Amino acid sequence: MSALICGSMAFDTIMVFQDQFKNHILPDQVHILNVSFLVPEMRRNFGGCAGNIAYNLKLLGGDGLPMGTVGVDFAPYAAWLDQHEIRRDALQEVADSYTAQAYITTDQDDNQITAFHPGAMNFAHQNRVADIAGVTIGMVSPDGRQGMIEHAEQFAAAGIPFIFDPGQGMPMFDGDDLNRFVSQASWLAFNDYEAKLMTERTGKSPQQMAREVKAVIVTRGGKGSTIYTEGKEIEIPLAPAEKLADPTGCGDAYRGGLLYGLQNGLDWEVTGRIASLMGAIKIEHTGTQNHAISRADFDARFKEVFGFAI
């Protein structure tokens, strides 16, 4: 069972400012802001929702194919995907464009200043679901606006069940857009803030949306997650992390677990716990694809945390 994961592919350049922004930004002078921060610590990570989700699904032994548009600078990322045996069949290079990238400066209070360049992501709609054979489950995650719209339409037209996961792409859509996604999707996935935005814009609570789809999954950070399905609310406990290094990408790790459970026909109680543990493993490492675990070690940790085997 092959999962086609539509979404962004991106580089994340993260710089650490060893002070506090508030010591260098004068509130009454922000209209003429001109500041420079010395950032002796910097790292570049491979990221983007499609890449992150596919990476986590691969760790579990699932079959995932990221679909996205990339730029002329993609070679290092391509080599990384090849190293980890993640297929690139559905990645299209856009000439004269850079791969999407975020430049993030973080201070000692964990405040962030981010500049995001979408680059090739703006051409996501050039990829078509029908061009990929053997797809049995799909995902529409944050990407170019038109790409998200068209990929959802294409999954629905092909009768391929898919997860709609708007994430940080939600501000691009109004209530009519979001209600249309709900009518097309088989499953919905949000964090708690996104779930509130969905309710505000569609006029529907998670419970109401769950009557239109197979399940609505809402992650709640340190409070675990809730899965609304078949008139039930299944509470998924938080998997404890050994350390809290970096929350970036935890949602994508969780979604990799969701896809694995769906691919393998597991019930929601098990699927949610697999997803929760993937998020815990990710948060123990900086970056979105720098964590690794063997399947045997994952299964052993799962049994230790939850008290039963997968």
Side-chain angles (χ1 to χ4, degrees), residues 186-260:
S186 299
W187 307 277
L188 308 174
F190 316 110
N191 64 28
D192 51 357
Y193 178 74
E194 293 156 3
K196 290 181 175 65
L197 282 179
M198 277 292 291
T199 295
E200 180 181 295
R201 295 187 180 185
T202 65
K204 299 171 184 175
S205 66
Q207 294 90 334
Q208 291 171 315
M209 285 184 276
R211 297 177 194 144
E212 300 183 46
V213 297
K214 295 179 181 179
V216 177
I217 302 96
V218 180
T219 59
R220 305 186 188 282
K223 298 180 180 178
S225 52
T226 305
I227 299 173
Y228 302 87
T229 181
E230 298 178 342
K232 300 181 293 184
E233 296 183 15
I234 302 171
E235 296 298 331
I236 303 298
L238 179 72
E242 295 175 358
K243 62 178 180 178
L244 305 179
D246 178 10
T248 308
C250 286
D252 293 334
Y254 187 102
R255 282 148 180 76
L258 288 181
L259 279 175
Y260 180 82

Side-chain angles (χ1 to χ4, degrees), residues 97-141:
S97 290
Y98 291 111
T99 303
Q101 37 206 298
Y103 295 90
I104 305 164
T105 303
T106 302
D107 74 356
Q108 290 185 328
D109 289 336
D110 286 332
N111 296 308
Q112 291 185 335
I113 297 175
T114 300
F116 181 73
H117 173 66
M121 195 179 78
N122 285 330
F123 300 91
H125 57 280
Q126 293 182 0
N127 282 323
R128 300 190 61 80
V129 169
D131 293 340
I132 307 300
V135 177
T136 53
I137 188 172
M139 186 160 201
V140 174
S141 58

Side-chain angles (χ1 to χ4, degrees), residues 24-281:
H24 300 267
I25 297 176
L26 302 175
D28 60 345
Q29 298 295 310
V30 292
H31 62 292
I32 52 170
L33 186 65
N34 187 352
V35 294
S36 176
F37 302 110
L38 178 65
V39 287
E41 181 183 340
M42 185 181 84
R43 64 181 187 271
R44 194 183 200 200
N45 294 320
F46 301 121
C49 294
N52 294 341
I53 295 167
Y55 178 83
N56 284 281
L57 181 57
K58 183 70 176 181
L59 287 180
L60 288 166
D63 182 17
L65 181 64
M67 173 179 273
T69 41
V70 302
V72 295
D73 56 344
F74 192 67
Y77 202 157
W80 172 263
L81 294 175
D82 292 346
Q83 176 186 339
H84 293 277
E85 300 181 343
I86 297 172
R87 292 166 51 196
R88 294 190 281 119
D89 313 32
L91 298 181
Q92 180 184 155
E93 182 176 309
V94 179
D96 301 320
S97 290
Y98 291 111
T99 303
Q101 37 206 298
Y103 295 90
I104 305 164
T105 303
T106 302
D107 74 356
Q108 290 185 328
D109 289 336
D110 286 332
N111 296 308
Q112 291 185 335
I113 297 175
T114 300
F116 181 73
H117 173 66
M121 195 179 78
N122 285 330
F123 300 91
H125 57 280
Q126 293 182 0
N127 282 323
R128 300 190 61 80
V129 169
D131 293 340
I132 307 300
V135 177
T136 53
I137 188 172
M139 186 160 201
V140 174
S141 58
D143 207 351
R145 182 181 189 278
Q146 195 59 32
M148 294 178 71
I149 291 171
E150 294 189 16
H151 294 152
E153 292 173 346
Q154 291 160 16
F155 278 129
I160 298 172
F162 73 95
I163 301 173
F164 175 58
D165 168 34
Q168 62 266 38
M170 189 176 289
M172 297 187 294
F173 304 108
D174 61 21
D176 290 339
D177 294 326
L178 294 170
N179 274 314
R180 185 172 63 252
F181 283 123
V182 172
S183 71
Q184 295 165 332
S186 299
W187 307 277
L188 308 174
F190 316 110
N191 64 28
D192 51 357
Y193 178 74
E194 293 156 3
K196 290 181 175 65
L197 282 179
M198 277 292 291
T199 295
E200 180 181 295
R201 295 187 180 185
T202 65
K204 299 171 184 175
S205 66
Q207 294 90 334
Q208 291 171 315
M209 285 184 276
R211 297 177 194 144
E212 300 183 46
V213 297
K214 295 179 181 179
V216 177
I217 302 96
V218 180
T219 59
R220 305 186 188 282
K223 298 180 180 178
S225 52
T226 305
I227 299 173
Y228 302 87
T229 181
E230 298 178 342
K232 300 181 293 184
E233 296 183 15
I234 302 171
E235 296 298 331
I236 303 298
L238 179 72
E242 295 175 358
K243 62 178 180 178
L244 305 179
D246 178 10
T248 308
C250 286
D252 293 334
Y254 187 102
R255 282 148 180 76
L258 288 181
L259 279 175
Y260 180 82
L262 290 168
Q263 282 187 324
N264 289 277
L266 302 177
D267 64 37
W268 284 114
E269 285 82 357
V270 174
T271 296
R273 284 166 170 79
I274 290 173
S276 178
L277 182 54
M278 285 303 298
I281 292 167

